[in-house]
Amino acid sequence: VRARRTRLRNRVATPFSSRQRTLALASPLLTGHFVCWIGAFSFTDLPSAVLLLVLQPLFASVLGAQVFRERVTRGIAMSLLVAGVGLALIVYDDLRFSVNHLIGDALVALGAVFIISFLSVGKNLRPRLSFSSWMTLAYGGAGNGRFYW
């Protein structure tokens, strides 16, 4: 009787495959990125938004090290430092500290969290799909999600 219950339990299929569940999670994350990124321009200017957006590799390195236990090498750390300093020098004159700019900067930072989460969720699925399938499903789902946001 116990063996029969185990066989029956093993035969019960989940309604969605792991690929479908991953895409169902990834597409809204990408939608969130686009909504935050585009919405930020109502509050902040382009240089501030670009500075925060281009710092995504820094955020991704921290996430990778903390969540996925990926190793951040000295070369990666130095590259991130040089890129961050260079970007800060480029946009220094355009940085403003007003309430509207801080709201816009927060939206850009939230957009960065969304895109990093999207890339992290999709990193195992992307190699298993063709490029056209990934683009159609992930970005098409994000585009459809934009209508509901």
Side-chain angles (χ1 to χ4, degrees), residues 81-128:
L81 179 66
V82 169
V85 169
L87 285 168
L89 290 173
I90 290 169
V91 299
Y92 175 74
D93 291 336
D94 293 316
L95 292 178
R96 295 187 193 105
F97 296 102
S98 69
V99 173
N100 275 348
H101 278 93
L102 291 176
I103 291 170
D105 293 346
L107 282 171
V108 173
L110 183 60
V113 170
F114 276 124
I115 194 69
I116 292 164
S117 300
F118 165 75
L119 294 171
S120 297
V121 166
K123 81 181 207 172
N124 292 326
L125 180 59
R126 168 60 195 103
R128 295 186 296 179

Side-chain angles (χ1 to χ4, degrees), residues 10 12 19 31 41-42 89 91 93 102 121-122 124 131 141 146:
N10 290 340
V12 175
R19 287 182 183 182
T31 301
F41 289 106
S42 298
L89 290 173
V91 299
D93 291 336
L102 291 176
V121 166
N124 292 326
F131 180 74
R146 174 64 179 102

